[in-house]
Structures are given as structure tokens and as C-alpha cells.
């Protein structure tokens, strides 16, 4: 690590033994970290960040959105050079799960990763690591939802065209754990993916241990619009 606290990119890091390959991302992230951190205006502790998500969802359910009152021109101008999202969400790609809307958030507030079945692939983990370690997101919610087509297809295990079946493998552990009931498997999958994030990524695990990050699994009900935290 150099005097600025950044890892050297050209060679392996002496302080933590990270490989050169791993340092390519880490170094890039560290290079971006300084101006973003310097620009930070707000910082919520993990529990408050998670609560802010849930409070936003309550406003969405009650149809009392406040994010639409914000001036989008000002929000855009204030976020051209920096972003300070307070939380991250891993959601399904499903069009009925509009993440910013259902948490009543606007430009620059949420760091959102989406993939069908909300599975924690290596690219998703890398993205959420960037959100947490570089941008400072204090909470990550893995959000499953009712009527999830990716989970339903995995339960059924039918032949599908193209590369769609590539989604089956990361969802199968939830099917093995919860059986054939769609809602039960969706909830099991959200919990499994959240646990994967918290344990498979040493970076995220370290932030949790240091009290800088909370990861939770949630369930979005398409009919009511309500998000419930799964335990
Ligand atoms: Zn889905």
C-alpha cells in the first residue's frame, strides 16, 4: 500500500498480499475513491440506511412519494461529478420491480444491480463491492419478489431457448432447500444470495465485521407493493 493508502497496481501489494489481478479492480476503485469520498455530504450508519429503504417503501405503499418532489435538474447537476448512494439493492430484472420507485428514491440515492433471479454472480459481487467499499453504501438489500419467472422456471426445470437455463444453477440451492412452492423458493433464494454476499466476499465480510455494512434479504409483493425483511 502506498502513502495515500492505495494499493499499487503495477505489482502485488505488500501489505495485504492481494494478487496483481485483484489489484487491477482494487487500484481502479482506490483511484476513484479519493474524490468521491471528499465529495461525500451524507453518511448513514448501516441500520439507518436499511431503515431509510423500508421507510421509503412505506411511502410507496401509502402512495405518498416524496422523491417526486425533488428538482431533477438540481439532482442531476449535483450528481454529475459524484455519487453518494446510501444503500445498494440486488434485485431481479423483472419490469414489475421498479427499484428506485418502490423505495421512493431518486437520482444518486441507490446503487442498483439487477439480474434475473437476483443472483449473486461474480460480476454482481464486484459491483456491490464497488458500491460498499468505494461509494460507501452502508446497506445492501437482496430483493426477491412474488411471481418471479426465473425462480419459477428453475423449479420447473424445463428446456428453454438460448442461454436462459444459465440462471438455473445459482437458483437451484434454493429449490433444494425450499421445495416446489414458488414463494418459499423466492424467499429462500433471496436469503441464500444475501448470505453468499456476506460470506463469499472477504471485502464485504470485512465491512460487516467493522460495523460499516448490513446485508439483508427482502421480499417484494407485486400486489401490495410492500417489502418485507426476511429473517
Ligand atoms: Zn424475478
Amino acid at each position: 500500500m502506498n502513502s495515500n493508502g492505495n494499493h499499487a497496481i503495477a505489482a502485488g501489494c505488500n501489505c495485504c498480499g492481494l494478487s496483481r489481478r485483484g489489484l487491477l479492480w482494487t487500484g481502479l476503485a482506490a483511484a476513484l475513491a479519493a474524490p468521491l469520498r471528499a465529495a461525500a455530504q451524507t453518511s448513514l450508519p448501516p441500520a439507518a440506511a436499511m431503515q431509510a429503504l423500508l421507510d421509503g417503501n412505506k411511502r410507496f405503499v401509502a402512495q405518498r412519494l416524496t422523491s417526486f418532489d425533488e428538482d431533477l435538474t438540481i439532482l442531476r447537476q449535483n450528481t454529475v461529478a459524484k455519487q453518494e448512494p446510501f444503500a445498494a439493492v440486488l434485485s431481479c430484472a423483472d419490469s414489475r420491480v421498479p427499484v428506485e420507485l418502490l423505495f421512493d428514491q431518486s437520482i444518486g440515492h441507490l446503487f442498483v444491480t439487477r439480474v434475473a433471479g437476483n443472483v449473486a454472480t461474480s460480476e454482481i459481487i464486484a459491483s456491490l463491492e464497488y458500491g460498499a467499499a468505494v461509494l460507501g453504501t452502508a446497506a445492501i438489500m437482496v430483493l426477491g419478489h412474488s411471481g418471479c419467472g426465473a425462480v419459477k422456471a428453475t423449479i420447473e426445470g424445463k428446456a428453454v431457448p438460448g442461454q436462459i437455463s444459465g440462471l438455473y444453477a445459482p437458483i437451484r440451492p434454493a429449490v433444494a432447500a425450499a421445495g416446489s412452492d414458488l414463494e418459499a423458493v423466492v424467499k429462500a433464494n433471496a436469503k441464500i444470495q444475501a448470505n453468499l454476499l456476506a460470506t463469499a466476499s472477504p471485502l464485504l465480510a470485512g465491512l460487516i465485521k467493522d460495523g460499516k455494512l448490513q446485508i439483508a434479504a427482502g421480499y417484494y409483493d407485486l400486489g401490495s407493493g410492500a417489502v418485507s425483511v426476511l429473517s
Side-chain angles (χ1 to χ4, degrees), residues 123-187:
E123 293 85 355
I124 291 287
I125 292 173
S127 300
L128 292 170
E129 285 180 339
Y130 177 79
V134 180
L135 302 180
T137 54
I140 299 175
M141 180 173 284
V142 180
L143 191 62
H145 68 95
S146 59
C148 183
V151 171
K152 185 167 182 281
T154 304
I155 293 170
E156 293 171 350
K158 291 178 184 170
V160 282
Q163 300 181 41
I164 297 172
S165 64
L167 293 166
Y168 290 179
I171 299 174
R172 277 199 191 108
V175 179
S180 59
D181 179 74
L182 180 57
E183 183 176 330
V185 179
V186 165
K187 289 179 176 176

Side-chain angles (χ1 to χ4, degrees), residues 89-153:
V89 178
L90 166 53
S91 83
C92 183
D94 195 298
S95 67
R96 300 164 296 177
V97 188
V99 177
E100 277 87 351
L101 190 59
L102 69 89
F103 287 116
D104 190 25
Q105 301 298 326
S106 191
I107 299 170
H109 295 166
L110 294 184
F111 190 81
V112 182
T113 58
R114 304 189 67 154
V115 61
N118 43 271
V119 291
T121 65
S122 57
E123 293 85 355
I124 291 287
I125 292 173
S127 300
L128 292 170
E129 285 180 339
Y130 177 79
V134 180
L135 302 180
T137 54
I140 299 175
M141 180 173 284
V142 180
L143 191 62
H145 68 95
S146 59
C148 183
V151 171
K152 185 167 182 281

Side-chain angles (χ1 to χ4, degrees), residues 184-212:
V185 179
V186 165
K187 289 179 176 176
N189 183 52
K191 288 198 274 189
I192 286 170
Q193 305 303 331
N195 187 56
L196 194 60
L197 286 177
T199 56
S201 163
L203 182 53
L204 297 181
L207 290 169
I208 294 170
K209 191 178 170 201
D210 293 343
K212 295 176 179 172

